Amino acid sequence: MTFSLAGRCAETGDIGFAVTTSSVCVGARVGAVTDGCVVFSQARTDPRLHAIGIEAWKLSEDTETTLFAMQDAATALHWRQLGVFPAQGKPLHFTGESCLDHCGGLIGNECLALGNFLGSDQVLPETIRGFETATGSLAVRLIAGLKAGENAGSERDPLQSAAVVVLGSKDLKDVDLRIDSSDDPISDLAALLVDWLPKAPAYRLRALDPDAAPSSSSVEHSKE
């Protein structure tokens, strides 16, 4: 009951993911990113598998080892949908036999789409196409991919929540946004991203050089 998209930016080195589903609070349950890798656990989700995948990645920096570790740790693997998307190299994915059609994974140019309980077999191809043809920052392109997937059939049930996360340099998340309950979560997420992106550099500077950073009041309430 979810479709997701991991992507990377060849120019900046950023890596991240976006996800949407017909239940609430998907950002709390699906997807995680660490330096060099995105991992997904979805369908009948076990968020604990994200930590297992990330630990395996940190030890091995190998997609097969990471996916196997998640599979090996999963209870009732036939209900799980898993993905490993590296900053460099080929992504891997797994869809258990009990996941509801339309379901599966698709690898595109610098991206990986996963989904289950989808409204048509065109959702994943269009999610990939939406990402590949979009312009702008990685987060913008990830949301464009989700929107294209929604327009191609979405899920069988109405979407309720969405999230987007992008990890930039120095292990800092430049984007980490969630819409937990909405009648139009992808559009609301896109609007929230428009508000956030101009502010993101100031909050990155607060982490790296707080003496040089502007106050949050000036960032949030500047009339310029």
Side-chain angles (χ1 to χ4, degrees), residues 14 135-141 143 164 166 173-177 189-204 219-220:
D14 292 351
T135 59
S137 70
L138 180 58
V140 168
R141 287 181 282 150
I143 294 177
V164 60
V166 171
K173 291 179 181 177
D174 288 322
V175 178
D176 190 354
L177 305 176
L189 185 64
L192 183 59
L193 182 65
V194 168
D195 180 68
W196 166 252
L197 285 178
K199 302 172 183 177
Y203 285 107
R204 167 174 277 273
V219 173
E220 297 293 340

Side-chain angles (χ1 to χ4, degrees), residues 4-83:
S4 59
L5 176 65
R8 56 199 179 202
C9 179
E11 293 183 3
T12 65
D14 292 351
I15 187 171
F17 68 91
V19 58
T20 187
T21 194
S22 55
S23 55
V24 297
C25 303
V26 69
R29 295 178 283 111
V30 174
V33 61
T34 190
D35 186 20
C37 187
V38 171
V39 293
F40 286 124
S41 165
Q42 56 191 60
R44 294 202 174 178
T45 306
D46 184 351
R48 297 172 299 176
L49 296 177
H50 296 134
I52 290 168
I54 285 175
E55 181 63 21
W57 173 261
K58 288 181 177 179
L59 291 172
S60 69
E61 295 190 353
D62 179 76
T63 51
E64 289 187 1
T65 300
T66 301
L67 183 62
F68 178 78
M70 297 172 74
Q71 290 174 304
D72 190 53
T75 302
L77 182 61
H78 59 97
W79 281 115
R80 312 300 185 184
Q81 189 170 47
L82 307 172

